[in-house]
Amino acid sequence: MQSPDGLFISSDALNFGETWESEYFQWNIRVENRRNEDVRIREFHSTCNCSSIEPRTATIPAGQAHDFHLVLDLRPHAGDEISSEWRDFLVGLFPNVTDEPEANGRRGWQLRGRVRAAVAFDPRGVDLGRHSEFAQALPIRKLLLTTFVPIDRLIAKSSSAMVHAKANRSAANANGIELEVSADQLPIGAVDETIRITPVLESGERLPSRSLPVTGRIVSDIQASPPAVLFGTRCVGEVAQETVVLVSLTKRQFEVVGVTCEGNEDLAVEQLSGQTNSEPAFRVTQRVADVREHTGRVTINVRFADKREANLAVPVSCLGIAASPR
């Protein structure tokens, strides 16, 4: 099939036929230059972010051809509802061969094929949620996987030794497989792991693997309210104040063993008296010394009953501006 730029791709190369759903389906196309002069492809574009093309740029001499390697993600897009075994796949390929922006994006080809799904995920990821570092082990998450073809078993392999997955036949759905996802003691921070799901047919054939993202967040048990002190815009000479309260997400007993200010000599903090030990309060004071941005932080060190300690940093910011003349 020829484009107006004199470039040609055979129709066979623009139809990959029928294949199993895959994240990394590979396909090659040969682009022929049927012009009497060299053609430089400055960049290959596609109509979705589900493909990569290498090389992205190339010069094809007159009367010759160049091979391009494609890697396609044949999984359904976000929001697509998958209710059947087969679906059509279509992506546009557009070579940028001119400096005229309005001409690019209109001359190209369509690569198509039929994609066969063995398993549908619902939902398409596992969210472990937001939990205190002390609220572990986390509750088991369960997903129902619907099978479209006879599956002997699913192999589930996690990217982390702390995240586990087990697949079982669903007792309530003859065509379903239940995936249980659990986690051990996870460190503080974002959870960003992957479970690779590999369907195995009754014939023993292993189909292309699918990745199932596992997300969540583990936070320090001690939290500040508010988590940051944002004074906004204040006039020079003004003194701004805010009260910060500490709480334990799991209602644990703790004591404050130290409080410091950093990064700003006009920043001060004091613990308020008459407060309960379970939720100590602090007054944060910022003196606006001059016209500039004032930034700093208050760091509070606490100790739990089991002698473990934790540091909590509370950012403080303020923009000093000149006072309006009276």
Side-chain angles (χ1 to χ4, degrees), residues 21-35:
E21 188 176 81
S22 172
E23 294 178 52
Y24 305 104
F25 176 73
Q26 301 187 51
W27 188 252
N28 292 320
I29 57 173
R30 171 163 292 184
V31 180
E32 299 179 30
N33 177 11
R34 295 187 170 183
R35 297 172 64 173

Side-chain angles (χ1 to χ4, degrees), residues 11-230:
S11 58
D12 290 343
L14 293 174
N15 191 327
F16 58 73
E18 298 178 347
T19 187
W20 288 104
E21 188 176 81
S22 172
E23 294 178 52
Y24 305 104
F25 176 73
Q26 301 187 51
W27 188 252
N28 292 320
I29 57 173
R30 171 163 292 184
V31 180
E32 299 179 30
N33 177 11
R34 295 187 170 183
R35 297 172 64 173
N36 295 323
E37 57 185 3
D38 296 352
V39 173
R40 176 169 175 76
I41 298 179
R42 292 170 170 81
E43 188 173 12
F44 242 123
H45 299 280
S46 67
T47 54
C48 74
N49 58 6
C50 60
S51 61
S52 65
I53 307 173
E54 293 294 339
R56 300 295 295 189
T57 181
T59 298
I60 307 178
Q64 297 187 31
H66 195 90
D67 291 332
F68 292 83
H69 182 68
L70 282 66
V71 178
L72 305 175
D73 184 349
L74 302 181
R75 295 175 299 173
H77 297 154
D80 289 348
E81 183 176 343
I82 305 303
S83 57
S84 61
E85 178 182 350
W86 291 96
R87 57 186 172 83
D88 294 323
F89 180 89
L90 180 68
V91 61
L93 305 175
F94 300 96
N96 180 344
V97 297
T98 177
D99 291 326
E100 302 174 14
E102 65 278 1
N104 292 313
R106 297 203 306 264
R107 300 190 289 248
W109 306 271
Q110 288 185 327
L111 174 64
R112 65 182 69 239
R114 291 266 287 165
V115 178
R116 189 182 187 188
V119 178
F121 294 67
D122 184 26
R124 297 177 192 171
V126 179
D127 184 4
L128 297 176
R130 182 178 182 271
H131 301 275
S132 162
E133 58 185 311
F134 296 145
Q136 303 188 69
L138 303 182
I140 294 176
R141 297 292 194 269
K142 296 183 179 181
L143 286 81
L144 181 64
L145 283 62
T146 302
T147 61
F148 297 123
V149 297
I151 295 290
D152 178 65
R153 67 188 188 279
L154 289 180
I155 300 174
K157 186 176 182 181
S158 172
S159 61
S160 168
M162 294 179 291
V163 176
H164 314 282
K166 184 171 71 171
N168 304 299
R169 289 286 178 182
S170 172
N173 187 333
N175 295 323
I177 295 179
E178 192 174 72
L179 184 70
E180 294 185 354
V181 179
S182 60
D184 292 335
Q185 194 76 19
L186 296 171
I188 292 177
V191 180
D192 185 12
E193 305 295 344
T194 300
I195 297 173
R196 299 290 296 177
I197 306 294
T198 306
V200 181
L201 300 179
E202 292 181 344
S203 64
E205 178 187 359
R206 292 193 179 192
L207 301 184
S209 299
R210 286 275 306 274
S211 62
L212 185 72
V214 180
T215 58
R217 179 168 291 276
I218 305 301
V219 299
S220 173
D221 188 71
I222 299 297
Q223 295 289 305
S225 180
V229 178
L230 308 176

